[in-house]
Amino acid sequence: MKVNILGAPVDRVDMEGALHFVEKAITENKPKHIITLNAEIIYQAQSETELMEIINQADLVTPDGAGVVWASKELGNPVPERVTGIDLLQEIAKKANATGWRLFFFGAAPGVAAEAAEKLKESYSNINIVGTHHGFIKTQADEDQLLQQISEAKPHILLVALGAPRQEYWIKKHKEKLGIPVNIGVGGSFDVISGRIDRAPKWMQKVQLEWLYRLIKEPTRFKRMLALPKFMGLVKKSTKKS
Ligand code: UDP
């Protein structure tokens, strides 16, 4: 079941459904692309055909963010809950601790992915993180070396934290050749898990104000967030048409 938000098909899944998808993808062993989609990216895709294509070709698109939850209600086809990249990563870590799934962390500034891996090991002593790499690749040689490192590590799940939509383009480009069953873009998650950036308190997440917390912590996000009212305007307009 999906809800079409301005041309972007969002799966009406909750966290349990998303985890079930991951489990199945690992069993099937064919490369799958999971996007945790927020309103900013849907808005950007309105004028970026290639991005809209990638969203439409993704194997699972989860509702990430208050804007997407709001839009699904507005369109009369509500999603059950937010399934954000960081929450999905935390749940995967928990499950990987029990199942032995191999994880690879790619992205964020040098050292951050490794720190995030260390932090998760403190909570999940059996977790198998088979490799980490920063996300600032400059040359083709660096990229070739990274692809080789990932291939040799043979993860079940590749977590790509380059920010959206850079990570979506990266996954699209490399997914088939790498052949890893689960590929997920997780934005700034490693910054938070490593402890370099605080996440909004639980109560703010619950009342859909996580975006406000992020804005206060990182005021440079302001420009990006201007997309949200524009996104809401387009959704309103589309409900009037139908
Ligand atoms: N990043 C990266 N390579 C780049 C540009 C950005 O690894 O070339 C990382 C950056 O260090 C940060 C993440 O991508 O960890 C982007 O985080 P942001 O919170 O902006 O992403 P969002 O969650 O909003 O998609």
Side-chain angles (χ1 to χ4, degrees), residues 127-145:
I127 197 167
N128 193 4
I129 298 171
V130 291
T132 62
H133 198 290
H134 68 78
F136 289 83
I137 303 290
K138 300 248 165 7
T139 64
Q140 189 56 50
D142 285 352
E143 178 143 289
D144 292 346
Q145 186 271 328

Side-chain angles (χ1 to χ4, degrees), residues 107-109 135-136 161-164 166 187-188 191 214 221 224:
F136 289 83
L162 301 177
R166 184 183 276 111
D191 295 315
R214 292 191 82 177
R221 299 183 83 87
R224 295 167 48 172

Side-chain angles (χ1 to χ4, degrees), residues 16-27:
E16 207 186 316
L19 273 178
H20 182 70
F21 181 93
V22 168
E23 216 173 324
K24 201 160 155 254
I26 291 173
T27 312

Side-chain angles (χ1 to χ4, degrees), residues 80-228:
E81 61 178 348
R82 286 201 308 159
V83 179
T84 67
I86 185 158
D87 290 328
L88 185 56
L89 169 50
Q90 296 276 13
E91 291 299 321
I92 283 175
K94 202 188 291 174
K95 194 122 195 181
N97 193 49
T99 56
W101 288 343
R102 293 185 298 275
L103 312 182
F104 193 107
F105 288 4
F106 163 47
V112 176
E115 274 172 38
E118 281 309 312
K119 275 269 151 49
L120 285 174
K121 275 184 211 157
E122 286 170 17
S123 313
Y124 305 112
S125 54
N126 290 326
I127 197 167
N128 193 4
I129 298 171
V130 291
T132 62
H133 198 290
H134 68 78
F136 289 83
I137 303 290
K138 300 248 165 7
T139 64
Q140 189 56 50
D142 285 352
E143 178 143 289
D144 292 346
Q145 186 271 328
L146 164 70
L147 294 171
Q148 195 182 339
Q149 187 189 340
I150 299 173
S151 294
E152 284 172 7
K154 293 195 176 55
H156 294 105
I157 305 175
L158 175 61
L159 297 132
V160 184
L162 301 177
R166 184 183 276 111
Q167 60 205 15
E168 275 63 51
Y169 282 108
W170 194 92
I171 291 173
K172 162 81 184 165
K173 185 168 173 203
H174 298 289
K175 167 182 96 158
E176 291 304 325
K177 207 162 161 224
L178 280 170
I180 291 154
V182 180
N183 303 270
I184 314 175
V186 290
S189 298
F190 299 164
D191 295 315
V192 176
I193 290 174
S194 65
R196 293 206 182 191
I197 289 182
D198 292 335
R199 191 170 182 198
K202 277 266 181 311
W203 72 265
M204 277 185 112
Q205 294 177 34
K206 275 208 185 101
V207 295
Q208 315 272 6
L209 282 180
E210 186 158 20
W211 62 272
L212 181 62
Y213 187 86
R214 292 191 82 177
L215 181 60
I216 294 164
K217 284 275 169 180
E218 301 165 68
T220 50
R221 299 183 83 87
F222 179 69
K223 242 172 119 186
R224 295 167 48 172
M225 284 186 177
L226 289 177
L228 196 63

